[in-house]
Amino acid sequence: MIQAFGLTSDSRKDLPPAVDDVSFEAHPGRVAALLGAAGAGKTTTLRLMLELQPGRGITYFKGRPLHRIPHPAREVGVLLGDVPGHPSRTVRGHLRMLCAAVGLPARRADEVLEAVGLVSLREERLGTLSRGVDRRLGLACALLADPHTLVLDAPADGLSAREGRWLHGMLRAHATRGGTVLFTTADPKEAARTADRVVTLDKGRIVADQEAADFARNRLRPRVAVRSPHAAR
C-alpha cells in the first residue's frame, strides 16, 4: 500500500511550489492513476514520494518510508523517464548489471526479458532502441527484483495503441497478483480505461480523487442538471 501525506515541493524564488499538499493512497490489488496535464506536478509528486528531491511530506510503502526499507529496489519498482544507461550497452547487459547491483542472480535478466517480450532484442544497444522498446525495457527494470509496488511515470507515453494495451495488461496482471500499481498519465481516457482509482492533479494540487467508474461518468462525460419550478414551461 502507498500512503502519501502532505507532499509539497520546495518553492523556487517567488513561484508557488510545483506540488502543494498532495495526499492520497494506492491500495494493493489495484491500479491507481495520477492524472494531469503537462506541468500539473505528476513527475514532481513521484520524485517527492521516492525522496529524489527536497520538499515536505512523507510517503509510506507498506507502512515504511523508502529510506527505512533495507532493500528498496526489492520493494518498489520505479520507471522515471528514459532508461538510464550507456548507449553502447546491450539490453541484456544492462539488466545483468542491475541484477549485480541489487544482489540478484544473472538469470533473472533473462526471465524479465521473456516477461516483457524482449528476448529477440536482448543484444540491441540502448542507443538504438525505439520508444516502444525503451518503455518495455523500463518496465523490465522496474520488475527485475519482483517488487510488490510499481511506481511508473508515463509508462505508455509514445506507445502505439497495441503496445499500450500490452502494457496495461501487464500492470493489471501485477495488481491481480496482489501488487500495488501507481502510474501517471496525461490522457483521461487511458486513466479511466486502465485504473481502478484516478487521482487528478491541477497546478500541483489534487482536484479529484475518485473511483474510475465515477471519474468516467462525471469527468469524461460531464453533465449539467438543472432544477426549476418552471421546468414544464
Side-chain angles (χ1 to χ4, degrees):
M1 181 175 184
I2 300 173
Q3 297 168 296
F5 298 104
L7 298 178
T8 303
S9 60
D10 288 347
S11 300
R12 294 166 295 176
K13 298 182 180 179
D14 295 327
L15 299 175
V19 170
D20 189 4
D21 196 25
V22 167
S23 301
F24 64 91
E25 295 182 350
H27 294 265
R30 309 192 80 201
V31 178
L34 196 59
L35 172 67
K42 305 185 297 297
T43 301
T44 301
T45 297
L46 297 192
R47 291 182 63 83
L48 288 168
M49 292 171 61
L50 298 169
E51 302 175 7
L52 295 176
Q53 76 177 63
R56 301 187 300 279
I58 192 167
T59 302
Y60 293 111
F61 298 90
K62 294 177 69 174
R64 294 177 294 175
L66 201 62
H67 64 271
R68 291 192 177 275
I69 299 176
H71 301 286
R74 299 190 180 190
E75 181 59 42
V76 184
V78 176
L79 172 59
L80 286 177
D82 296 336
V83 174
H86 195 280
S88 65
R89 185 175 292 128
T90 65
V91 167
R92 186 168 183 258
H94 181 72
L95 288 172
R96 286 169 66 92
M97 179 197 70
L98 294 180
C99 286
V102 297
L104 296 172
R107 66 176 181 275
R108 178 60 181 162
D110 295 312
E111 293 172 359
V112 293
L113 282 174
E114 184 173 356
V116 301
L118 288 181
V119 172
S120 63
L121 298 175
R122 60 183 179 272
E123 298 304 323
E124 290 291 318
R125 307 288 177 177
L126 298 188
T128 66
L129 302 183
S130 67
R131 181 62 174 174
V133 174
D134 180 88
R135 295 289 84 188
R136 284 179 183 250
L137 178 56
L139 183 59
C141 294
L143 293 171
L144 194 62
D146 194 22
H148 176 272
T149 302
L150 293 178
V151 176
L152 313 172
D153 190 20
D157 186 30
L159 299 186
S160 67
R162 180 181 177 183
E163 290 171 327
R165 287 192 296 270
W166 170 86
L167 174 69
H168 298 149
M170 290 287 291
L171 301 187
R172 177 57 58 191
H174 187 81
T176 300
R177 293 193 297 270
T180 303
V181 178
L182 173 67
F183 74 97
T184 70
T185 179
D187 184 355
K189 292 183 179 179
E190 180 190 1
R193 183 171 55 246
T194 307
D196 300 299
R197 190 160 191 89
V198 181
V199 180
T200 305
L201 283 177
D202 183 44
K203 297 179 181 177
R205 285 182 169 271
I206 290 181
V207 295
D209 185 350
Q210 54 200 151
E211 291 294 304
D214 293 334
F215 170 81
R217 183 170 57 250
N218 300 324
R219 306 277 296 200
L220 292 186
R221 295 184 294 273
R223 302 173 182 175
V224 177
V226 179
R227 294 185 178 88
S228 168
H230 307 294
R233 184 186 305 173

